[in-house]
Every structure is written in C-alpha cells, then in structure tokens.
Amino acid sequence: MTGPSWHLAFAGPSLLVVEDGGLLRVPNGEDLAVVLGTDVEGLVDAEVPLPPAEGRTCRAYDLPAGFEPPPGFALLGLRSLFERIPPDLFRVAGTALQKVEWLRSHGFCSRCGHATRRHLVHEAMECPACGHLHFPRLSPAVIVLVERGDTMLLARSPRFPEGMYSTLAGFVEPGESLEEAIQREIREEVGVEVTDLRYFGSQPWPFPHSLMIGFVARWAGGEIRVDGKEIVDAGWFTARRLPPLLPSGLSIARRLVDDFLRRHEGGAAHG
Ligand SMILES: [Zn+2]
C-alpha cells in the first residue's frame, strides 16, 4: 500500500497546511515547490520514518525565517490540528516536528562550538572538529493517575485553562527509575504517598520532545498539600463529581481519566 508523499514543513511549532475546500491536508511536492520556488534544496530536511504499513514517503522541512504562507495555505499549531487531520498523519507530524526541532537546535556542537553536519550513517548531528555526536533529544516524563477507593486525584497547574484539572506528571531526573520519579513528583507536588504502581501505556509528546509514560497508582498515605508552584489546587474526584474541565482527548492524561471512569461508572466522560 502506498499513498501520496507527505511534506511536513514547519515554521516554529506551526505546520504548513493546504486549505482545500474546507478540508485540511499537508502539501505534496508540487505544492511545496509553488510555495518555496525552487529553493527546497536549501532547506534543512530530514527523512521521517513511518510505520511500515503506511508505505508512503515523508519528509520534514524547516521553513526559512520570515516565511509567510501564500493564499490557500496556512500555518497552524500542531495541537490545534488534532481531530482536524487523520490520526496517522497527526502522529507523523509530531515525529517530524521533533526532528525539525532537533536539527534547529543542534547546528553547533555543544561541547566545542564548531558547526555540525548530518552524520552519514547514524541519525545524529556530528561535530567535524571534536567528533561528538548529537542525537535527537528525548525527555522521559511520568504521568500518573492516583486512586483512593472510588476517587481519583486530579490537580491544577497555574498554566492550565480555567477550571481544568489533570493527572500529575513530571520529568524523570538523572539516576532515577520511573517508580522513583513517580514517588518523588507526587510527594513534592501534593504531599501524598503512593503504592502499587501499574504501567498503563505511553505516548510520544512532541511539545517539544517528551515521552509520556503513564501509570496508575494507589494512595498509600498523606493528605493533599499542594506545593503552590507547580500545582495550585488538587482534589479527590469521583465519576459523579468531576472538575469543570478535563484534559483534551489528545493526551494520555485523558486516556487515564477515561479508563478510571470506565472502571468506576461504566462510561467515559463527555466533552
Ligand atoms: Zn565539537
């Protein structure tokens, strides 16, 4: 099975899309040549691997500084494209954005400052002066739904839209196991101890380069005491008493909440 090639071109975190009679699609090679003239060769680009069954070719591009989309094209933030483009394309676009971001931020060696170049074999930027290899950056983060009887712990970050509560999450620090990162994050942010950690699933999160690793945990002790910085409010919610706003279906946070609701009420949340 093959399909038309996907050309994923980014200006900052925004993807270039074609507005095709109310529908959105990504440019093909012809569209991109129209948009950029003949200058496609001059762009930073990277092969983006696709799931084997997909069979189509795909390339990622970093658009030149000051790029303005011509009529019929638009630059849209990747998050806003969730549910507006097919899930397989959304997934590939996330991969493409991570790789473009990697190329953008590794033009110079962080060890000696020399300009880097693409390595011929490895997916890495290579420093011709000191030989250091710069691989794409990936930051693992744990995300946890804590249960206590028929309630779940949801919390508010000051960055959230008003009324939104979500599961707790945090980056894994050097030297930590995933389990240790979970215990530390939850203790620091809400003062609660957890036990019985069960793996739930994972999700690449290209904003800009995280891998979210989801768990369900059981409350083991302590009452909620928010840190006031990363978390400004938290509470125990039931399937019948939910916060005004839950995280979007884009995130593993929502899948964790929906899983809890299925187990406690036999249905997922709406909205
Ligand atoms: Zn170097």
Side-chain angles (χ1 to χ4, degrees):
M1 190 179 81
T2 58
S5 61
W6 281 337
H7 291 259
L8 299 146
F10 291 91
S14 300
L15 179 67
L16 182 68
V17 293
V18 184
E19 293 170 320
D20 211 347
L23 292 173
L24 294 179
R25 62 175 177 83
V26 292
N28 55 36
E30 264 173 50
D31 299 321
L32 207 62
V34 168
V35 169
L36 298 167
T38 53
D39 200 25
V40 178
E41 287 304 309
L43 296 174
V44 172
D45 73 304
E47 286 286 351
V48 176
L50 281 169
E54 198 56 50
R56 66 176 91 223
T57 59
C58 176
R59 296 184 81 83
Y61 300 87
D62 188 14
L63 291 163
F67 172 83
E68 292 287 343
F73 293 80
L75 283 170
L76 297 176
L78 194 55
R79 283 175 203 248
S80 74
L81 292 171
F82 178 68
E83 289 184 334
R84 295 185 70 193
I85 58 177
D88 53 349
L89 173 57
F90 185 83
R91 176 73 189 275
V92 168
T95 307
L97 176 58
Q98 275 183 267
K99 296 204 175 187
V100 165
E101 189 52 39
W102 161 62
L103 292 172
R104 280 176 185 153
S105 54
H106 290 86
F108 294 89
C109 179
S110 59
R111 181 178 279 172
C112 78
H114 198 281
T116 57
R117 64 186 178 205
R118 294 292 293 277
H119 193 277
L120 292 176
V121 181
H122 301 299
E123 188 170 43
M125 298 296 275
E126 175 186 35
C127 175
C130 76
H132 193 67
L133 294 180
H134 303 267
F135 291 94
R137 189 169 157 197
L138 203 55
S139 304
V142 287
I143 181 159
V144 191
L145 184 134
V146 182
E147 296 185 1
R148 182 180 186 179
D150 65 348
T151 66
M152 62 178 158
L153 201 169
L154 298 177
R156 260 190 71 68
S157 152
R159 297 172 288 110
F160 285 174
E162 198 178 331
M164 189 176 114
Y165 286 70
S166 186
T167 50
L168 293 167
F171 288 108
V172 182
E173 293 183 351
E176 276 184 334
S177 67
L178 299 178
E179 293 81 358
E180 287 164 345
I182 290 167
Q183 304 277 3
R184 174 186 53 74
E185 275 292 337
I186 295 175
R187 189 179 301 130
E188 283 175 4
E189 293 187 345
V190 294
V192 162
E193 301 297 324
V194 294
T195 185
D196 193 16
L197 308 177
R198 281 162 292 141
Y199 177 70
F200 176 77
S202 66
Q203 179 185 39
W205 189 247
F207 309 106
H209 42 62
S210 299
L211 173 65
M212 307 302 292
I213 305 154
F215 285 83
V216 176
R218 203 157 49 79
W219 174 82
E223 297 305 324
I224 293 173
R225 197 183 62 249
V226 298
D227 70 3
K229 291 175 289 202
E230 290 194 66
I231 296 298
V232 289
D233 190 30
W236 298 102
F237 294 87
T238 66
R240 296 186 181 281
R241 195 182 63 82
L242 292 170
L245 202 59
L246 290 170
S248 97
L250 167 62
S251 63
I252 191 171
R254 182 55 175 268
R255 284 203 281 130
L256 279 160
V257 170
D258 283 346
D259 171 70
F260 174 89
L261 296 177
R262 263 191 299 275
R263 288 186 285 110
H264 289 266
E265 205 192 39
H270 300 286

